[in-house]
PDB file of all heavy atoms in Angstrom:
ATOM      1  N   GLY H 429       2.173  10.563  10.314  1.00 97.00           N
ATOM      2  CA  GLY H 429       2.738  10.359   8.974  1.00 97.00           C
ATOM      3  C   GLY H 429       4.154  10.962   8.797  1.00 97.00           C
ATOM      4  O   GLY H 429       4.943  10.444   8.055  1.00 97.00           O
ATOM      5  N   PHE H 430       4.415  12.019   9.551  1.00 98.00           N
ATOM      6  CA  PHE H 430       5.751  12.637   9.562  1.00 98.00           C
ATOM      7  C   PHE H 430       6.253  12.554  10.960  1.00 98.00           C
ATOM      8  O   PHE H 430       5.495  12.428  11.962  1.00 98.00           O
ATOM      9  CB  PHE H 430       5.665  14.087   9.069  1.00 98.00           C
ATOM     10  CG  PHE H 430       5.321  14.207   7.629  1.00 98.00           C
ATOM     11  CD1 PHE H 430       3.964  14.376   7.243  1.00 98.00           C
ATOM     12  CD2 PHE H 430       6.280  14.136   6.631  1.00 98.00           C
ATOM     13  CE1 PHE H 430       3.615  14.478   5.909  1.00 98.00           C
ATOM     14  CE2 PHE H 430       5.921  14.264   5.260  1.00 98.00           C
ATOM     15  CZ  PHE H 430       4.566  14.419   4.944  1.00 98.00           C
ATOM     16  N   CYS H 431       7.563  12.702  11.172  1.00 98.00           N
ATOM     17  CA  CYS H 431       8.160  12.536  12.464  1.00 98.00           C
ATOM     18  C   CYS H 431       8.366  13.860  13.224  1.00 98.00           C
ATOM     19  O   CYS H 431       8.129  14.918  12.696  1.00 98.00           O
ATOM     20  CB  CYS H 431       9.524  11.826  12.309  1.00 98.00           C
ATOM     21  SG  CYS H 431      10.765  12.777  11.477  1.00 98.00           S
ATOM     22  N   GLN H 432       8.888  13.723  14.420  1.00 98.00           N
ATOM     23  CA  GLN H 432       9.109  14.865  15.310  1.00 98.00           C
ATOM     24  C   GLN H 432      10.102  15.884  14.662  1.00 98.00           C
ATOM     25  O   GLN H 432       9.872  17.080  14.684  1.00 98.00           O
ATOM     26  CB  GLN H 432       9.638  14.456  16.665  1.00 98.00           C
ATOM     27  CG  GLN H 432       8.608  13.693  17.485  1.00 98.00           C
ATOM     28  CD  GLN H 432       8.639  12.174  17.275  1.00 98.00           C
ATOM     29  OE1 GLN H 432       9.149  11.694  16.259  1.00 98.00           O
ATOM     30  NE2 GLN H 432       8.121  11.416  18.263  1.00 98.00           N
ATOM     31  N   GLN H 433      11.155  15.374  14.091  1.00 98.00           N
ATOM     32  CA  GLN H 433      12.144  16.286  13.491  1.00 98.00           C
ATOM     33  C   GLN H 433      11.542  17.070  12.323  1.00 98.00           C
ATOM     34  O   GLN H 433      11.813  18.264  12.149  1.00 98.00           O
ATOM     35  CB  GLN H 433      13.348  15.489  12.975  1.00 98.00           C
ATOM     36  CG  GLN H 433      14.451  16.345  12.360  1.00 98.00           C
ATOM     37  CD  GLN H 433      15.608  15.569  11.817  1.00 98.00           C
ATOM     38  OE1 GLN H 433      15.687  14.397  11.997  1.00 98.00           O
ATOM     39  NE2 GLN H 433      16.517  16.276  11.111  1.00 98.00           N
ATOM     40  N   PHE H 434      10.672  16.418  11.546  1.00 98.00           N
ATOM     41  CA  PHE H 434      10.015  17.086  10.446  1.00 98.00           C
ATOM     42  C   PHE H 434       9.282  18.326  10.928  1.00 98.00           C
ATOM     43  O   PHE H 434       9.370  19.427  10.324  1.00 98.00           O
ATOM     44  CB  PHE H 434       9.068  16.105   9.770  1.00 98.00           C
ATOM     45  CG  PHE H 434       8.291  16.731   8.593  1.00 98.00           C
ATOM     46  CD1 PHE H 434       8.764  16.617   7.317  1.00 98.00           C
ATOM     47  CD2 PHE H 434       7.066  17.269   8.795  1.00 98.00           C
ATOM     48  CE1 PHE H 434       8.066  17.131   6.245  1.00 98.00           C
ATOM     49  CE2 PHE H 434       6.347  17.784   7.769  1.00 98.00           C
ATOM     50  CZ  PHE H 434       6.816  17.733   6.477  1.00 98.00           C
ATOM     51  N   TYR H 435       8.541  18.199  12.027  1.00 98.00           N
ATOM     52  CA  TYR H 435       7.775  19.290  12.570  1.00 98.00           C
ATOM     53  C   TYR H 435       8.667  20.262  13.332  1.00 98.00           C
ATOM     54  O   TYR H 435       8.495  21.503  13.227  1.00 98.00           O
ATOM     55  CB  TYR H 435       6.653  18.795  13.453  1.00 98.00           C
ATOM     56  CG  TYR H 435       5.511  18.194  12.711  1.00 98.00           C
ATOM     57  CD1 TYR H 435       5.319  16.805  12.697  1.00 98.00           C
ATOM     58  CD2 TYR H 435       4.615  18.979  11.998  1.00 98.00           C
ATOM     59  CE1 TYR H 435       4.259  16.228  11.958  1.00 98.00           C
ATOM     60  CE2 TYR H 435       3.567  18.444  11.297  1.00 98.00           C
ATOM     61  CZ  TYR H 435       3.355  17.079  11.244  1.00 98.00           C
ATOM     62  OH  TYR H 435       2.330  16.542  10.565  1.00 98.00           O
ATOM     63  N   ARG H 436       9.671  19.776  14.044  1.00 98.00           N
ATOM     64  CA  ARG H 436      10.536  20.614  14.822  1.00 98.00           C
ATOM     65  C   ARG H 436      11.265  21.619  13.901  1.00 98.00           C
ATOM     66  O   ARG H 436      11.408  22.795  14.221  1.00 98.00           O
ATOM     67  CB  ARG H 436      11.536  19.813  15.644  1.00 98.00           C
ATOM     68  CG  ARG H 436      12.445  20.595  16.499  1.00 98.00           C
ATOM     69  CD  ARG H 436      13.256  19.685  17.440  1.00 98.00           C
ATOM     70  NE  ARG H 436      14.074  18.732  16.743  1.00 98.00           N
ATOM     71  CZ  ARG H 436      13.890  17.407  16.717  1.00 98.00           C
ATOM     72  NH1 ARG H 436      12.872  16.885  17.387  1.00 98.00           N
ATOM     73  NH2 ARG H 436      14.697  16.586  16.052  1.00 98.00           N
ATOM     74  N   GLU H 437      11.703  21.137  12.759  1.00 98.00           N
ATOM     75  CA  GLU H 437      12.420  21.969  11.838  1.00 98.00           C
ATOM     76  C   GLU H 437      11.539  22.638  10.779  1.00 98.00           C
ATOM     77  O   GLU H 437      12.036  23.226   9.840  1.00 98.00           O
ATOM     78  CB  GLU H 437      13.506  21.099  11.141  1.00 98.00           C
ATOM     79  CG  GLU H 437      14.532  20.528  12.082  1.00 98.00           C
ATOM     80  CD  GLU H 437      15.603  19.714  11.413  1.00 98.00           C
ATOM     81  OE1 GLU H 437      15.585  19.598  10.170  1.00 98.00           O
ATOM     82  OE2 GLU H 437      16.461  19.171  12.159  1.00 98.00           O
ATOM     83  N   LYS H 438      10.225  22.517  10.982  1.00 98.00           N
ATOM     84  CA  LYS H 438       9.209  23.150  10.101  1.00 98.00           C
ATOM     85  C   LYS H 438       9.508  22.851   8.607  1.00 98.00           C
ATOM     86  O   LYS H 438       9.480  23.717   7.739  1.00 98.00           O
ATOM     87  CB  LYS H 438       9.199  24.665  10.317  1.00 98.00           C
ATOM     88  CG  LYS H 438       8.812  25.050  11.752  1.00 98.00           C
ATOM     89  CD  LYS H 438       8.721  26.551  11.900  1.00 98.00           C
ATOM     90  CE  LYS H 438       8.317  26.952  13.333  1.00 98.00           C
ATOM     91  NZ  LYS H 438       8.203  28.399  13.478  1.00 98.00           N
ATOM     92  N   MET H 439       9.759  21.579   8.330  1.00 98.00           N
ATOM     93  CA  MET H 439      10.051  21.154   6.992  1.00 98.00           C
ATOM     94  C   MET H 439       8.903  21.343   6.055  1.00 98.00           C
ATOM     95  O   MET H 439       9.108  21.369   4.816  1.00 98.00           O
ATOM     96  CB  MET H 439      10.634  19.737   6.992  1.00 98.00           C
ATOM     97  CG  MET H 439      11.962  19.616   7.763  1.00 98.00           C
ATOM     98  SD  MET H 439      12.631  18.003   7.707  1.00 98.00           S
ATOM     99  CE  MET H 439      13.161  17.928   5.972  1.00 98.00           C
ATOM    100  N   TYR H 440       7.689  21.429   6.578  1.00 98.00           N
ATOM    101  CA  TYR H 440       6.517  21.642   5.720  1.00 98.00           C
ATOM    102  C   TYR H 440       6.527  23.006   5.068  1.00 98.00           C
ATOM    103  O   TYR H 440       5.824  23.261   4.117  1.00 98.00           O
ATOM    104  CB  TYR H 440       5.229  21.475   6.555  1.00 98.00           C
ATOM    105  CG  TYR H 440       5.248  22.256   7.858  1.00 98.00           C
ATOM    106  CD1 TYR H 440       4.916  23.578   7.924  1.00 98.00           C
ATOM    107  CD2 TYR H 440       5.597  21.591   9.031  1.00 98.00           C
ATOM    108  CE1 TYR H 440       4.924  24.262   9.129  1.00 98.00           C
ATOM    109  CE2 TYR H 440       5.669  22.281  10.270  1.00 98.00           C
ATOM    110  CZ  TYR H 440       5.296  23.621  10.266  1.00 98.00           C
ATOM    111  OH  TYR H 440       5.366  24.328  11.454  1.00 98.00           O
ATOM    112  N   GLU H 441       7.358  23.901   5.598  1.00 98.00           N
ATOM    113  CA  GLU H 441       7.487  25.272   5.037  1.00 98.00           C
ATOM    114  C   GLU H 441       8.510  25.337   3.904  1.00 98.00           C
ATOM    115  O   GLU H 441       8.566  26.308   3.167  1.00 98.00           O
ATOM    116  CB  GLU H 441       7.833  26.269   6.111  1.00 98.00           C
ATOM    117  CG  GLU H 441       6.711  26.496   7.137  1.00 98.00           C
ATOM    118  CD  GLU H 441       7.052  27.521   8.170  1.00 98.00           C
ATOM    119  OE1 GLU H 441       8.220  28.039   8.156  1.00 98.00           O
ATOM    120  OE2 GLU H 441       6.151  27.831   9.012  1.00 98.00           O
TER     121      GLU H 441
END
Side-chain angles (χ1 to χ4, degrees):
F430 294 92
C431 67
Q432 291 91 339
Q433 182 183 352
F434 179 91
Y435 286 106
R436 183 171 59 248
E437 298 181 2
K438 299 183 179 180
M439 296 183 69
Y440 50 83
E441 294 182 354

